[in-house]
Amino acid sequence: MIRHLVLFKLNDGVSRDEERVQAGVRAFEALKDQIEELTFWECAWNITDRPIAYDFAINSAVADKDALKRYVEHPAHQAAATQWREFATWVIADYEF
């Protein structure tokens, strides 16, 4: 199994209440029902107010590297990521467990 973690930081001046951000959240929430490679999926806003904290997180899992590649290339994933590129930066980690 591969864990796929993504942490998002909203760009300066961007609020989580903006419609484009909320649309991006809805796009990510919908992935769990659109991409069959996902064996685990959760995403949520950070709940702490710390300077080093990121704003939004995705915690997911897929079976193997081939499934991860299919997930990353899936049109629904690509569309959601494109939305987030407009207002956030992010870091990822993929590891086997």
Side-chain angles (χ1 to χ4, degrees):
M1 294 290 288
I2 294 177
R3 178 74 60 200
H4 175 66
L5 302 172
V6 188
L7 299 175
F8 296 86
K9 186 73 146 175
L10 296 177
N11 295 338
D12 288 341
V14 175
S15 166
R16 67 173 65 181
D17 297 326
E18 292 180 30
E19 177 50 36
R20 65 184 176 154
V21 176
Q22 289 303 308
V25 170
R26 289 190 299 271
F28 276 146
E29 289 173 342
L31 293 183
K32 69 177 180 268
D33 298 323
Q34 297 175 338
I35 302 177
E36 67 183 54
E37 284 78 13
L38 291 168
T39 60
F40 177 81
W41 180 261
E42 64 183 9
C43 58
W45 287 106
N46 173 48
I47 60 168
T48 62
D49 186 21
R50 296 169 35 192
I52 62 170
Y54 277 68
D55 298 303
F56 190 80
I58 291 175
N59 180 12
S60 61
V62 295
D64 54 32
K65 288 181 181 179
D66 290 334
L68 179 62
K69 183 178 188 306
R70 289 191 303 275
Y71 160 73
V72 169
E73 294 174 352
H74 192 284
H77 173 264
Q78 288 295 310
T82 296
Q83 290 179 19
W84 280 80
R85 281 187 191 98
E86 295 180 14
F87 53 79
T89 58
W90 59 86
V91 295
I92 68 165
D94 298 312
Y95 62 90
E96 293 182 299
F97 68 100

